[in-house]
Amino acid sequence: MTRIILIGYMGAGKTTIGKALAATLGVTFYDLDWYITMRYRRSVSDIFAERSEAGFRDLEQRMLHEVAEFENIVLSCGGGTPCFFDNMEYMNTLAQTVYLKAEPDVLTQHLLMGKGHRPLIEGKTPDELRAYIQETLTLREPFYTQAKHIIDISLLDSVGKIDECIQYILKELRIGN
């Protein structure tokens, strides 16, 4: 049985890496935010607006406990997921956890280029975004580093490097050796 959970800051590439890793392994990919959106038929932004961050985090924990029990999956979690309740401990008991680590400058570039609506960074200038990332990454790092595996993705800038990252993860997790 394969159960891999990817964590890291928003914009680190969890969805991109997760989809590629799941395809390589022939397992199902789930994105926790997408799963929440499908189950509740509301966007994460709408849930934040309606329930506040605390309400969203409670819902997120319940959905994590649901989807993380599935077998033969790669699961990508939201950037804050590991930092609330006992989520990180719970994920470590069920799965191979992988922290996709990136420097604040890289995350800033990814988020500025990225598409999609991210409620926590909406309306920030590039300088404000970088400062916000640095501040929140400092707070989240103690949770992220509890992952069983840490992979630096700071140089993940091409399809070839994505493939290299997948091969590195497979080697690190001792899958396919």
Side-chain angles (χ1 to χ4, degrees):
M1 183 208 36
T2 301
R3 190 180 288 135
I4 300 168
I5 300 178
L6 303 177
I7 64 167
Y9 203 82
M10 66 179 128
K14 298 179 299 286
T15 299
T16 300
I17 295 296
K19 286 178 179 178
L21 182 59
T24 299
L25 294 171
V27 299
T28 304
F29 171 75
Y30 288 94
D31 177 283
L32 187 58
D33 285 347
W34 173 86
Y35 188 79
I36 292 168
T37 298
M38 293 299 103
R39 291 270 283 130
Y40 285 84
R41 298 189 173 152
R42 314 278 305 150
S43 71
V44 169
S45 299
D46 288 345
I47 295 169
F48 256 79
E50 294 165 5
R51 299 181 182 214
S52 77
E53 183 176 6
F56 171 77
R57 296 300 179 191
D58 180 61
L59 178 73
E60 178 184 56
Q61 181 196 33
R62 287 187 280 130
M63 293 300 95
L64 171 65
H65 281 251
E66 185 173 303
V67 74
E69 297 285 338
F70 298 168
E71 295 182 356
N72 298 315
I73 65 164
V74 173
L75 172 62
S76 167
C77 292
T81 306
C83 308
F84 293 88
F85 309 107
D86 66 344
N87 290 350
M88 196 63 234
E89 182 179 334
Y90 175 75
M91 289 186 282
N92 276 330
T93 63
L94 285 177
Q96 292 292 328
T97 51
V98 179
Y99 169 29
L100 300 180
K101 182 180 174 89
E103 295 299 318
D105 288 335
V106 172
L107 295 167
T108 301
Q109 289 174 340
H110 288 185
L111 291 168
L112 288 173
M113 290 186 304
K115 299 173 186 168
H117 187 66
R118 298 180 186 263
L120 291 176
I121 63 170
E122 189 174 0
K124 292 189 179 346
T125 67
D127 288 340
E128 291 170 336
L129 177 60
R130 182 171 185 315
Y132 176 79
I133 290 169
Q134 181 65 56
E135 179 182 326
T136 54
L137 190 56
T138 299
L139 295 173
R140 291 177 176 187
E141 191 83 5
F143 297 97
Y144 292 164
T145 57
Q146 292 175 39
K148 294 177 182 177
H149 308 277
I150 299 172
I151 297 177
D152 188 342
I153 56 89
S154 289
L155 299 176
L156 198 62
D157 59 2
S158 70
V159 173
K161 292 206 178 157
I162 292 170
D163 292 340
E164 287 175 24
C165 184
I166 298 304
Q167 293 309 310
Y168 185 82
I169 290 171
L170 294 175
K171 182 179 176 186
E172 181 75 19
L173 274 53
R174 294 181 171 84
I175 297 173
N177 289 349

